[in-house]
Amino acid sequence: MEQVFPWFVLLLLGFFSYAFLVSNKCPDCGSLKFPFLPDKEASIELGLAFHVCHSCGHKEIKGEVDPAGKVVWDDGSKGYVDRQGKYRDLPSPPGITS
């Protein structure tokens, strides 16, 4: 019994890890890095924020942008769109209060 339990735990952990990776991979190219290392983009005009796949450029809507450029992601993290239109992952930009 003492030798079976660690193997069972490792097998169970491996199964759930595999299920997580397969369910969150990029829908277009199948990249397994997509849930961990997405690029972030935001559009003030559309009012949407996206996670973008490094490999193929697939975009998924993951947040909202207000007209002032403040970005709020679905997971609660925040950022902003700077004057050049690039997304910045800083807590708050200069001159914009929360």
Side-chain angles (χ1 to χ4, degrees), residues 42-50 59 61 63-66:
S43 170
I44 294 175
E45 294 82 20
L46 297 175
L48 299 172
F50 305 96
K59 293 182 179 181
I61 299 170
E64 297 179 355
V65 183
D66 71 2

Side-chain angles (χ1 to χ4, degrees), residues 19-27 31-32 34-35:
F20 173 79
L21 286 174
V22 169
S23 66
N24 290 307
K25 66 183 181 178
C26 177
S31 173
L32 297 178
F34 185 61

Side-chain angles (χ1 to χ4, degrees), residues 40-98:
K40 294 180 177 180
E41 288 184 9
S43 170
I44 294 175
E45 294 82 20
L46 297 175
L48 299 172
F50 305 96
H51 280 182
V52 182
C53 179
H54 280 292
S55 302
C56 68
H58 171 76
K59 293 182 179 181
E60 285 189 0
I61 299 170
K62 294 289 184 174
E64 297 179 355
V65 183
D66 71 2
K70 290 189 278 184
V71 178
V72 178
W73 296 98
D74 291 345
D75 66 0
S77 60
K78 297 178 182 177
Y80 70 99
V81 179
D82 65 11
R83 291 183 181 147
Q84 288 80 31
K86 300 286 183 186
Y87 173 75
R88 302 290 177 203
D89 212 8
L90 299 174
S92 62
I96 296 179
T97 58
S98 298

